[in-house]
Amino acid sequence: MTKPEVIGSSKSTYTRVVRMVCEEKGIEYTLTETAIFAPELFTVHPLGKMPALRHGDVCLFESKAIATYLDRVFVGPEIFPSAPLPASLTEQWVSFTNTAVDRTFIRTYLYEYIAARRDKRKPDRNVIDSVLPDLHRQITILDTAVKATGFLVADRFTFADINLMPILHRLAQAPEGNDALARAVHLSKYYEQHAQRNSFQRTSPPEGPPSRTK
Ligand SMILES: N[C@@H](CCC(=O)N[C@@H](CS)C(=O)NCC(=O)O)C(=O)O
């Protein structure tokens, strides 16, 4: 079968999610390294975001849609459970992560550090301090969620975990995020344990955020 081509950056959390899916399922793929908003991304993604996927005649964007496609087309461990409750719980945690956690941990909190470094200035304490209550609340929610089994859904590693792990990795790269994760007993254990997985190790990103063409 043709190898899927993942278009994105090894520094991008959502590109890493798709790469982890390939690794978990043992799918041979190629990664085409691009900057955000690069022309090759616009050939698949109407907004030029990453990741995008090409597989034969199939073109897809949105990491979860790409993951669903890969899970259904390729053999290997099922990363989206099919039984009704685990399937719905996977949806629940993916939605929560993508709409709340990603916005708080990455787009608001971490991006302030990234912007400060890029602009050679100090991080704006107002931005950091005003996001911390949401950050701590969401850490507590995730900490409670993984307490019983060490997974977000039932007692197995699913797409819900794949979708969260790259975000936790980035969170731990800034001081308050690192502290908050370290103090969340169950979530930090969860992170340390799943960080040992081959799919996580083999997709470990180089330092820094993905570059942008504009
Ligand atoms: N919902 C999209 C999010 C994709 C996304 O925002 N990717 C980031 C890189 S990790 C990006 O392209 N950011 C550029 C921007 O939002 O301006 C997905 O799951 O694929």
Side-chain angles (χ1 to χ4, degrees):
M1 199 186 257
T2 340
K3 279 189 196 174
E5 176 194 8
V6 178
I7 309 166
S9 164
S10 49
K11 296 177 172 178
S12 135
T13 50
Y14 282 111
T15 304
R16 188 177 191 186
V17 164
V18 167
R19 295 177 67 210
M20 282 181 68
V21 170
C22 291
E23 298 287 348
E24 286 287 333
K25 292 187 72 75
I27 301 171
E28 276 190 55
Y29 68 99
T30 56
L31 172 68
T32 303
E33 281 280 353
T34 50
I36 293 171
F37 307 129
E40 50 276 50
L41 274 171
F42 276 104
T43 63
V44 181
H45 196 306
L47 298 177
K49 294 191 181 201
M50 58 179 63
L53 180 88
R54 263 208 216 94
H55 183 224
D57 293 338
V58 174
C59 289
L60 282 170
F61 59 92
E62 285 292 328
S63 54
K64 180 167 170 286
I66 295 170
T68 302
Y69 172 82
L70 294 171
D71 199 31
R72 293 190 184 190
V73 167
F74 288 88
V75 295
E78 188 186 56
I79 54 154
F80 287 95
S82 45
L85 184 57
S88 306
L89 287 169
T90 304
E91 288 292 333
Q92 170 189 286
W93 287 115
V94 170
S95 270
F96 179 74
T97 299
N98 290 351
T99 58
V101 175
D102 174 63
R103 194 180 58 224
T104 303
F105 293 11
I106 305 292
R107 317 263 162 171
T108 311
Y109 172 68
L110 192 67
Y111 274 24
E112 178 49 30
Y113 278 97
I114 291 170
R117 197 202 270 189
R118 182 196 59 213
D119 302 342
K120 299 185 174 53
R121 58 167 174 83
K122 287 198 168 150
D124 182 337
R125 269 331 302 176
N126 286 334
V127 174
I128 304 289
D129 290 342
S130 50
V131 76
L132 288 180
D134 276 349
L135 189 149
H136 287 127
R137 192 146 57 101
Q138 290 168 18
I139 286 271
T140 303
I141 292 166
L142 294 170
D143 191 54
T144 306
V146 301
K147 181 176 173 184
T149 65
F151 299 93
L152 281 172
V153 177
D155 56 0
R156 52 172 282 220
F157 195 69
T158 67
F159 185 72
D161 305 302
I162 294 177
N163 195 51
L164 179 63
M165 284 296 291
I167 293 178
L168 294 181
H169 171 255
R170 288 298 190 197
L171 177 71
Q173 294 182 333
E176 298 86 353
N178 190 40
D179 281 359
L181 182 58
R183 271 195 254 109
V185 179
H186 310 293
L187 191 64
S188 57
K189 189 169 157 214
Y190 163 96
Y191 177 73
E192 293 306 329
Q193 184 190 332
H194 300 312
Q196 302 308 314
R197 294 184 80 90
N198 281 340
S199 62
F200 193 75
Q201 301 272 332
R202 287 169 57 92
T203 57
S204 176
E207 266 228 7
S211 55
R212 293 172 174 256
T213 57
K214 66 176 188 190

